Amino acid sequence: MSYYLFVVNDVDYGNEILTAEEITHTLLANKIWAYTKSTFHLKKFTRGDNVLLYCAGRKRRYFIAKFTIVGAIESNAIEPKGKNEEILKKTFPLQSKIDDVKIWSNPMPIKDIIEELDFITDKKNWGLWFRKSVLALNKDAFDLI
């Protein structure tokens, strides 16, 4: 079992923008998480891995949810019911099933715990740590968040 932090940001698709919140809520409602073929750590994900979600970008910068990966990486089989699902299916060709989804009613701003996060060694330029879409965490950092 491993621990990860998935960084979610807006997706520009042609003239459409899918916000980090729309992505998060659409995928969690479908009990899947979606990936590109170049997602960092993709080949390491296994059933039982625990994931935290971080919404990045201006006026966000907060942790919003957690879940457990319960399925293998496979082709994205989301059935488009609207614009959000259509964009997600075209942008992210892979998916895994998830469970134990917990969406926090009050997102946790990173500024509240930045000093306690040991994986961020440069507290002044902490945003650089969130440039990758996936970060591997240790259990202590996962539990802290």
Side-chain angles (χ1 to χ4, degrees):
M1 172 179 5
S2 296
Y3 301 91
Y4 294 100
L5 176 68
F6 289 2
V7 179
V8 187
N9 212 329
D10 298 346
V11 169
D12 291 333
Y13 190 82
N15 293 330
E16 300 284 340
I17 294 178
L18 198 55
T19 67
E21 293 84 1
E22 289 172 319
I23 293 167
T24 298
H25 291 293
T26 301
L27 293 175
L28 296 182
N30 283 284
K31 289 213 167 188
I32 63 167
W33 197 256
Y35 315 95
T36 65
K37 292 178 181 177
S38 62
T39 296
F40 200 64
H41 293 299
L42 182 66
K43 293 182 180 179
K44 295 180 182 180
F45 300 155
T46 61
R47 290 177 178 94
D49 286 348
N50 293 291
V51 177
L52 292 168
L53 294 180
Y54 175 79
C55 284
R58 194 167 185 222
K59 296 188 180 182
R60 289 192 191 106
R61 301 178 183 139
Y62 54 77
F63 302 96
I64 190 170
K66 67 179 182 174
F67 61 81
T68 302
I69 296 174
V70 296
I73 304 298
E74 57 191 15
S75 293
N76 190 334
I78 193 170
E79 289 297 325
K81 299 174 199 126
K83 172 192 75 150
N84 291 1
E85 288 91 351
E86 287 178 26
I87 292 171
L88 290 170
K89 186 160 185 147
K90 291 175 184 175
T91 306
F92 302 100
L94 302 172
Q95 73 172 36
S96 62
K97 291 182 176 150
I98 62 172
D99 204 0
D100 303 322
V101 175
K102 304 272 189 291
I103 302 172
W104 300 319
S105 55
N106 295 313
M108 180 191 304
I110 192 167
K111 66 181 174 85
D112 292 353
I113 61 169
I114 195 78
E115 294 300 322
E116 299 173 61
L117 297 174
D118 60 358
F119 67 93
I120 300 175
T121 56
D122 181 355
K123 305 298 186 192
K124 182 178 178 186
N125 298 304
W126 62 266
L128 298 174
W129 292 94
F130 295 89
R131 289 192 165 194
K132 294 181 182 173
S133 62
V134 176
L135 299 168
L137 297 177
N138 62 39
K139 185 175 182 340
D140 291 338
F142 186 90
D143 289 342
L144 174 68
I145 298 168

